[in-house]
């Protein structure tokens, strides 16, 4: 049995801090694999086989890194965690950064006044040692202390553990600038680095709020009917037991998942499914927490607790997805692990080699080494990827696409083949009346009324298809008398004192009532994949009703869009018979199909496609197709709205029966990957330029810190653009 303990980590705002925690906490809990992190919520989860998780030891180890850990509670997810209570805890970064900036500006004004010209002060940077009055130095020291208040403990920890990170890089640069008398530059480096960390924290908070907006969808109160006296009482949704009758008035949000028991309305399900149009609801239909009731007042019977609603599952899955790191994100982390010590070594070499080998000035090259340390800060590189991933995951959830981790967000951009199950995926998965063929002077309405009179006694899927069609046509009927089932063939009953039979055309043939013309017509329809309901009376055949699973009308258009998105082959795999598969294949335009497949045959088909072409996605219902989905490169569940099994099985779940989300998903994945690559290339390019300038002795600390902060800002805003992805 696995035991878990979660902590809120105050001060964990960047991927480098996660790396520090892994190194420090890993040995205490049996290795880094027993740790998982949610950067957005500053959450660390410890998973061990033993129940003995030493909380005090973990908290002390976290404190030694310059961060703070408190046990995780539900309130931590809603920004009311004890560690963040109070004005100071919520605003300390901003306050310290602002104080650092003010002190730096005051010091600059004093120095400019002393030297008579601010341009003269700035011109001295990077050249000879500037002359700085004592009053200005005091303000610069204040700027350094306030800006570095939370940076210094982390830098000290990194130095003590011999694990260089960005905090140590900045601290060495500041101390070095002070040592050679560059007080203004030391203060400006500290302030600008604190500002960069503040902006990164803001960007993470912005993405965090985007996810927490999902939580705000659900109302906190429900209007319940007391089963004892019928009185209406408002209760917190957490206190509403399963089976309670809840009233939802027009325009209100539905508080819990349930089934409509009274009233008719339309419900806006866009907050969860991304559907553009409201969906009609009547007694017996499911409704979901967080969706918006339309024009009608309804009563519903709650079917899930507040913790287990579809929306709660979505929020949980999105939050959990952040710990499933994308390959690009893992690459950036590994790169940063080796990149930081490499930059320190390069800075040391730059400070020593030119003066010793080329007889250069010690002060000048020491200054250039400080520039290397400043521009080497990898935070813009490290933060850009998780911000982009989380923004991409959140945007997808808003569009009714639940992606269970960054690794699955990247996967659609690499797909070459998409395999579809037939029933319930390319089709609606329910029998629907396709054709009504009245014979022997019967009208269509008359034939349907008599068929419904007989089918009213049956619960067979084909009977329900006939009844649904008759009700949609508005045809009135009266159930037949003396109804009798003929096992395996059909049924018989009395309508208006006359005997009628309903069943397959083979039953009619067995009774010797089928003409050659009728046999040919029936065979033709069955060859097209239709099932037939034949109706006859005592002296003639009344007509035929053909029933088939209905292909989704948007399917062909969606498949064409998938091809334009880069999908090379579209395949249908089904356990249905070949005739039905051929009919659906012709209507949808798939490239090829496999029929009569058992689950193990579907697995083999997916394995063959992967071997032949490469990355294959399997789109199915998430339950019947689970083995094939597990074999695929990417498992996508259709129609996961309200289906917990589908959400659990798939890597990606489409929260509504909307195939058009598939081209959107591939486009969104490509856009996310482009954004991540843009961020990585831009961050590395800026650093390469300034490292090159430092190597030839032309860089300045001002330029380096401004470039690094600018890079951080640009990659963050570029990543957050994904929140508005359409």
């Amino acid at each position: 049995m696995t035991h878990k303990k979660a902590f809120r980590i105050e001060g964990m705002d960047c991927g480098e801090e996660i790396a520090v925690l892994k190194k420090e906490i890993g040995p205490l809990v049996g290795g880094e694999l027993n740790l998982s992190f949610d950067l957005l919520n500053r959450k660390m989860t410890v998973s061990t086989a033993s129940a003995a998780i030493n909380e005090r030891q973990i908290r002390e180890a976290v404190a030694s890194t310059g961060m703070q850990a408190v046990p995780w509670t539900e309130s931590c997810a809603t920004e009311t965690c004890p560690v963040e209570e109070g004005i100071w805890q919520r605003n300390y970064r901003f306050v310290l950064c602002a104080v650092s900036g003010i002190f730096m500006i005051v010091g600059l004004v004093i120095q400019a006044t002393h030297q008579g010209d601010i341009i003269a002060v700035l011109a001295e940077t990077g050249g000879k040692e500037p002359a700085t009055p004592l009053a200005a130095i005091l303000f610069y020291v204040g700027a350094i202390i306030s800006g570095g208040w939370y940076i210094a403990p982390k830098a000290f920890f990194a130095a003590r553990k011999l694990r260089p990170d960005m905090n140590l890089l900045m601290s060495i640069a500041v101390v070095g600038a002070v040592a050679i008398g560059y007080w203004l530059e030391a203060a400006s480096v500290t302030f600008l680095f604190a500002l960069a960390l503040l902006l990164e924290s803001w960007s993470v908070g912005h993405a965090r709020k985007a996810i927490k907006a999902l939580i705000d969808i659900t109302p906190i109160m429900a209007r319940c009917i007391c089963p004892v006296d019928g009185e209406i009482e408002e209760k917190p949704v957490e206190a509403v037991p399963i089976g309670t009758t809840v009233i939802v008035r027009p325009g209100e949000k539905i508080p819990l998942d349930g089934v409509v028991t009274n009233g008719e309305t339309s419900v806006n399900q866009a907050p969860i499914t991304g559907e553009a149009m409201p969906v009609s609801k009547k007694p017996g239909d499911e409704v979901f927490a967080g969706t918006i009731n339309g024009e009608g007042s309804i009563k519903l019977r709650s079917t899930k607790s507040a913790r287990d609603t579809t929306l709660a599952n979505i929020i949980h899955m999105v939050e959990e997805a952040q710990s499933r790191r994308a390959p690009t994100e893992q690459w950036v982390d590994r790169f940063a692990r080796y990149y930081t010590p490499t930059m320190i070594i390069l800075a040391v070499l730059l400070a020593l080699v030119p003066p010793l080998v080329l007889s250069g000035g010690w002060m000048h090259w020491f200054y250039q080494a400080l520039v290397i340390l400043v521009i080497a800060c990898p935070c813009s590189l490290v933060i850009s990827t998780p911000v982009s991933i989380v923004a991409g995951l959140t945007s997808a959830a808003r569009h009714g696409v639940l992606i269970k981790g960054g690794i699955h967000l990247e996967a659609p951009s690499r797909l070459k083949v998409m395999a579809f199950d037939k029933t319930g995926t390319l089709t609606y998965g329910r029998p629907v009346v396709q054709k009504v063929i009245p014979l022997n002077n019967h009208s269509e309405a008359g034939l349907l009324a008599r068929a419904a009179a007989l089918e009213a006694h049956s619960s067979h899927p084909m009977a329900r298809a006939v009844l649904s069609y008759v009700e949609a046509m508005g045809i009135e009927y009266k159930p037949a008398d003396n109804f009798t089932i003929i096992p395996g063939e059909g049924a018989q009953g009395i309508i208006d004192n006359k005997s009628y039979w309903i069943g397959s055309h083979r039953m009619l043939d067995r009774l010797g009532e089928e003409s050659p013309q009728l046999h040919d017509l029936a065979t033709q329809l069955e060859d097209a994949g239709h099932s037939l309901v034949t109706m006859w009376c005592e002296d003639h055949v009344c007509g035929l009703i053909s029933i088939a699973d209905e292909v989704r009308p948007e399917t062909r258009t969606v498949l064409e869009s998938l091809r334009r998105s880069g999908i090379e082959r579209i395949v249908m795999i089904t356990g249905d018979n070949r005739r039905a598969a051929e009919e659906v294949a012709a209507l949808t335009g798939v490239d090829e199909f496999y029929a009569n497949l058992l689950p193990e045959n579907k697995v083999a088909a997916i394995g063959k496609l992967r071997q032949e072409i490469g990355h294959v996605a399997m789109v199915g219902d998430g339950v019947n197709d689970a083995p094939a989905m597990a074999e695929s490169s990417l498992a996508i569940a259709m129609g996961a709205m309200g289906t917990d099994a589908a959400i659990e099985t798939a890597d990606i779940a489409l929260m509504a029966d909307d195939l058009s989300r598939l081209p959107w998903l591939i486009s969104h994945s490509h856009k996310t990957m482009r954004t991540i690559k843009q961020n990585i290339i831009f961050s590395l390019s800026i650093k390469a330029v300034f490292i090159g300038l430092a190597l030839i002795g032309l860089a300045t600390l001002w330029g380096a810190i401004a470039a690094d902060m600018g890079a951080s800002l640009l990659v963050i805003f570029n990543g957050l653009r994904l929140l508005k992805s359409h």
Side-chain angles (χ1 to χ4, degrees):
M1 180 178 178
T2 301
H3 299 272
K4 292 186 177 183
K5 183 71 176 179
F7 299 86
R8 167 85 169 193
I9 308 297
E10 178 60 22
M12 185 178 77
D13 296 302
C14 190
E16 282 225 338
E17 284 144 359
I18 291 177
V20 168
L21 290 169
K22 283 182 178 179
K23 293 290 185 182
E24 191 69 13
I25 310 301
L28 300 178
V29 297
E32 295 181 15
L33 295 178
N34 292 331
L35 294 171
S36 61
F37 294 88
D38 175 357
L39 181 63
L40 283 193
N41 288 312
R42 299 192 182 103
K43 183 180 181 181
M44 178 181 74
T45 303
V46 180
S47 304
T48 64
S50 170
I53 298 176
N54 192 324
E55 181 181 311
R56 181 186 60 81
Q57 197 175 17
I58 290 174
R59 294 178 68 174
E60 289 177 354
V62 172
S64 72
T65 69
M67 292 176 268
Q68 181 184 358
V70 295
W72 181 271
T73 63
E74 290 300 318
S75 62
C76 289
T78 57
E79 298 186 346
T80 58
C81 195
V83 75
E84 287 197 335
E85 288 181 355
I87 295 176
W88 173 252
Q89 285 79 8
R90 290 194 299 270
N91 299 293
Y92 73 89
R93 282 184 181 276
F94 173 77
V95 171
L96 288 174
C97 183
V99 169
S100 178
I102 292 170
F103 279 2
M104 183 196 72
I105 292 172
V106 172
L108 176 60
V109 170
I110 292 174
Q111 186 175 355
T113 303
H114 178 265
Q115 295 185 222
D117 187 356
I118 192 170
I119 302 299
V121 175
L122 298 177
E124 286 182 342
T125 61
K128 64 180 182 179
E129 179 179 336
T132 309
L134 179 60
I137 290 176
L138 293 177
F139 278 100
Y140 289 148
V141 170
I144 294 169
I145 292 174
S146 54
W149 187 261
Y150 281 95
I151 298 170
K154 295 178 182 179
F156 176 74
F157 171 82
R160 183 166 58 87
K161 294 289 184 177
L162 299 178
R163 296 174 189 159
D165 64 3
M166 60 186 180
N167 299 290
L168 182 59
L169 292 183
M170 291 300 100
S171 298
I172 293 174
V174 170
V175 171
V178 167
I180 60 177
Y182 284 86
W183 291 97
L184 171 58
E185 296 202 0
S188 65
V189 166
T190 307
F191 163 67
L192 291 173
F193 184 59
L195 179 60
L197 293 180
L198 176 65
L199 292 171
E200 287 163 4
S201 176
W202 170 84
S203 73
V204 171
H206 189 73
R208 182 187 300 126
K209 288 176 182 177
I211 287 183
K212 291 187 184 303
L214 292 172
I215 298 175
D216 296 335
I217 291 174
T218 308
I220 59 174
M221 303 295 288
R223 197 176 289 107
C224 307
I225 298 179
C226 178
V228 178
D229 54 16
E231 292 292 320
I232 298 175
E233 178 185 2
E234 285 202 6
K235 292 182 179 180
V237 290
E238 295 82 3
V240 178
I242 296 174
T244 301
T245 299
V246 177
I247 296 176
V248 185
R249 293 171 180 166
E252 292 183 340
K253 291 179 180 177
I254 294 172
L256 294 159
D257 285 9
V259 175
V260 177
T261 58
N262 184 266
E264 295 187 10
T265 188
S266 61
V267 174
N268 179 2
Q269 298 186 158
I272 294 179
T273 68
E275 292 172 285
M277 300 299 294
V279 179
S280 297
K281 300 290 182 179
K282 60 183 184 300
D285 289 343
E286 283 187 294
V287 290
F288 305 96
T291 55
I292 303 168
N293 185 24
E295 70 283 352
S297 180
I298 58 171
K299 293 180 182 178
L300 63 91
R301 183 183 72 256
S302 64
T303 55
K304 293 181 180 179
S305 66
R307 284 178 173 269
D308 297 324
T309 63
T310 300
L311 179 61
N313 280 334
I314 292 173
I315 295 169
H316 173 70
M317 286 293 187
V318 172
E319 290 177 341
E320 287 292 313
Q322 299 163 37
S323 63
R324 300 183 177 97
R325 302 170 73 77
T328 305
E329 199 171 356
Q330 294 170 1
W331 177 86
V332 168
D333 287 346
R334 290 195 300 270
F335 179 83
R337 194 178 305 162
Y338 298 104
Y339 166 83
T340 302
T342 300
M343 289 298 102
I344 290 180
I345 293 172
L346 179 61
V348 171
L349 292 175
L350 188 63
L352 297 177
V353 172
L356 292 174
V357 177
L358 304 175
S359 300
W362 285 94
M363 189 72 69
H364 173 76
W365 288 106
F366 185 77
Y367 180 90
Q368 296 299 320
L370 296 183
V371 172
I372 291 283
L373 293 178
V374 171
I375 197 62
C377 174
C379 213
S380 65
L381 177 66
V382 173
I383 195 65
S384 65
T385 306
V387 167
S388 300
I389 291 291
V390 170
L393 293 173
T394 306
S395 176
R398 289 176 177 176
H399 284 79
V401 181
L402 179 59
I403 304 175
K404 296 163 65 174
I407 186 171
H408 305 307
L409 177 58
E410 288 191 12
S413 66
R414 299 192 296 269
L415 290 176
K416 299 297 182 183
V417 183
M418 192 163 280
F420 290 86
D421 175 44
K422 179 180 76 68
T423 306
T425 303
L426 296 178
T427 69
Y428 281 114
R430 60 178 184 268
V432 176
V433 172
Q434 301 290 337
K435 293 183 179 180
V436 179
I437 307 173
L439 301 171
N440 296 314
N441 298 319
H442 282 270
S443 67
E444 182 175 320
L447 174 62
L448 288 170
R450 287 170 175 77
L454 290 171
E455 300 288 28
H457 297 276
S458 175
S459 60
H460 191 277
M462 291 178 67
R464 291 200 298 270
V466 171
L467 292 172
S468 296
Y469 188 79
V470 169
E471 290 174 4
M473 296 288 289
I475 298 172
E476 296 183 0
Y477 64 92
K478 180 181 178 182
D481 299 322
N482 299 329
F483 179 80
T484 303
I485 294 177
I486 304 172
E489 292 188 318
Q492 184 266 337
I494 304 297
I495 304 173
D496 296 333
N497 299 318
K498 190 173 184 178
S499 293
Y500 285 84
W501 288 263
I502 193 167
S504 68
H505 84 95
R506 293 178 181 81
M507 177 183 175
L508 189 64
D509 186 40
R510 184 178 62 79
L511 295 174
E513 299 291 335
E514 186 179 53
S515 67
Q517 294 81 5
L518 181 61
H519 178 82
D520 291 343
L521 176 60
T523 302
Q524 182 182 356
L525 288 169
E526 287 188 333
D527 285 344
H530 293 219
S531 298
L532 288 185
V533 172
T534 307
M535 187 166 183
W536 65 97
C537 60
E538 296 167 350
D539 55 0
H540 64 269
V541 176
C542 305
L544 304 177
I545 302 173
S546 80
I547 297 174
D549 189 2
E550 186 177 9
V551 174
R552 298 175 188 272
E554 73 275 16
T555 299
R556 180 175 284 273
T557 302
V558 168
L559 299 191
E560 291 173 356
S561 297
L562 287 173
R563 292 187 181 94
R564 290 194 296 271
S565 299
I567 301 299
E568 297 177 3
R569 192 188 302 182
I570 297 174
V571 180
M572 181 180 72
I573 59 176
T574 178
D576 210 343
N577 64 76
R578 185 171 184 82
R579 288 185 305 178
E582 284 178 344
E583 176 74 9
V584 173
L587 291 171
T588 58
V590 297
D591 297 316
E592 59 185 283
F593 68 89
Y594 301 91
N596 295 310
L597 296 184
L598 297 173
E600 57 267 29
N601 303 130
K602 290 185 178 183
V603 171
I606 293 295
K608 180 182 177 183
L609 289 169
R610 288 188 67 178
Q611 187 175 9
E612 289 178 355
I613 302 178
H615 294 281
V616 179
M618 173 64 192
V619 186
D621 62 12
V623 181
N624 298 329
D625 301 303
M629 294 172 77
E631 177 67 18
S632 67
S633 311
L634 183 69
I636 303 175
M638 274 290 296
M641 187 64 179
T643 308
D644 295 337
I647 296 177
E648 292 297 327
T649 302
D651 303 319
I652 296 175
L654 307 184
M655 301 310 294
D657 284 334
D658 187 0
L659 284 172
S660 68
R661 295 293 87 190
L662 292 174
W664 181 91
L665 170 64
I666 293 176
S667 173
H668 183 60
S669 177
H670 280 293
K671 184 175 182 180
T672 302
M673 291 305 300
R674 282 197 304 271
T675 300
I676 291 172
K677 290 174 182 177
Q678 289 166 0
N679 288 345
I680 292 172
I681 292 171
F682 180 74
S683 296
L684 292 178
S685 298
I686 289 291
K687 295 179 188 306
V689 168
F690 271 85
I691 290 172
L693 291 173
L695 291 175
I696 61 176
L698 297 178
T700 67
L701 277 174
W702 280 98
I705 193 63
D708 187 63
M709 186 182 68
S712 295
L713 276 173
L714 287 173
V715 299
I716 287 169
F717 287 130
N718 194 36
L720 292 178
R721 283 191 310 114
L722 292 168
L723 288 173
K724 298 181 180 180
S725 180
H726 295 290

